[in-house]
Amino acid sequence: MALGDSITGSPGCWRALLWQKLPAARVDFVGTLPGQGCGFAYDGENEGHGGFLVTNVASQNQLVGWLSASDPDVVLMHFGTNDAWSNLSTATILAAYTRLVEQMRVSNPRMKIIVAQIIPLNPPTCTDCGQRVVNLNAAIPAWAASLSTAASPITVVDQWTGFNTATDTYDGVHPNDAGNVKIANKWYPALAAAIS
């Protein structure tokens, strides 16, 4: 299950590129949302909800229904961009992450959880957004380590390093074709290990 906001789902063609790299016989992408056009057929179900805040998903228990409908074994989560844009604190965002992890483990006590240090954020209307993402990303590894267990490991994938909003997005926020390739390539080793 790819979980997040518009970076994951609108259309989130990094998912299509990632799917191409994986053994199709061993992977079923799941979610309540259908895939969108990326120029070729792929397994596109996802939970990439444009405009959503991870804090709202957590406080409204929206993930519970999505997990029940799709029953994933692995969750790829790139979430928090809209929360950073909305000037919510790192602590508030991480508390939402924790609630989602708890809900994932209720759904499946052996859930493998792969969490992104999210891509940079540089919209023209928000000069502070970039630093907010830096602050969030800096806190994610320790957060993940504190909650990771042998039964339900949390793996952190650094989507931030090497990603350039000037060349890898079309608006300072959403990945373009080059950005989608980078995102897929960053996810691949962790996801391949999770399904091996």
Side-chain angles (χ1 to χ4, degrees):
M1 174 187 282
L3 173 64
D5 48 39
S6 58
I7 292 166
T8 296
S10 302
C13 289
W14 62 259
R15 292 181 291 103
L17 298 173
L18 180 59
W19 175 80
Q20 282 187 318
K21 296 165 75 75
L22 295 165
R26 305 216 21 225
V27 177
D28 178 19
F29 278 43
V30 298
T32 60
L33 299 176
Q36 294 177 286
C38 291
F40 57 88
Y42 69 103
D43 183 357
E45 290 85 11
N46 69 96
E47 295 297 349
H49 298 265
F52 278 37
L53 279 68
V54 69
T55 47
N56 289 344
V57 169
S59 66
Q60 298 166 13
N61 296 317
Q62 292 173 296
L63 181 60
V64 174
W66 302 339
L67 291 167
S68 177
S70 301
D71 193 26
D73 298 309
V74 179
V75 173
L76 292 179
M77 186 172 83
H78 185 291
F79 221 162
T81 299
N82 293 311
D83 304 78
W85 203 334
S86 300
N87 202 19
L88 296 175
S89 72
T90 292
T92 299
I93 297 169
L94 292 180
Y97 282 11
T98 298
R99 184 169 179 89
L100 297 187
V101 167
E102 291 166 352
Q103 293 171 347
M104 292 173 199
R105 289 172 172 166
V106 168
S107 169
N108 178 351
R110 302 190 66 78
M111 184 76 73
K112 294 179 180 177
I113 304 161
I114 307 173
V115 178
Q117 289 171 290
I118 65 175
I119 64 172
L121 180 59
N122 188 27
T125 57
C126 180
T127 56
D128 296 334
C129 279
Q131 185 60 48
R132 295 175 199 164
V133 168
V134 169
N135 296 344
L136 171 62
N137 284 342
I140 286 174
W143 165 84
S146 74
L147 289 179
S148 189
T149 66
S152 176
I154 301 176
T155 303
V156 176
V157 171
D158 178 3
Q159 290 286 2
W160 193 89
T161 300
F163 196 97
N164 185 329
T165 56
T167 56
D168 297 326
T169 74
Y170 58 83
D171 60 357
V173 182
H174 299 93
N176 59 19
D177 289 347
N180 281 319
V181 169
K182 286 186 176 181
I183 292 172
N185 288 343
K186 287 281 190 83
W187 280 129
Y188 175 74
L191 183 53
I195 65 173
S196 63

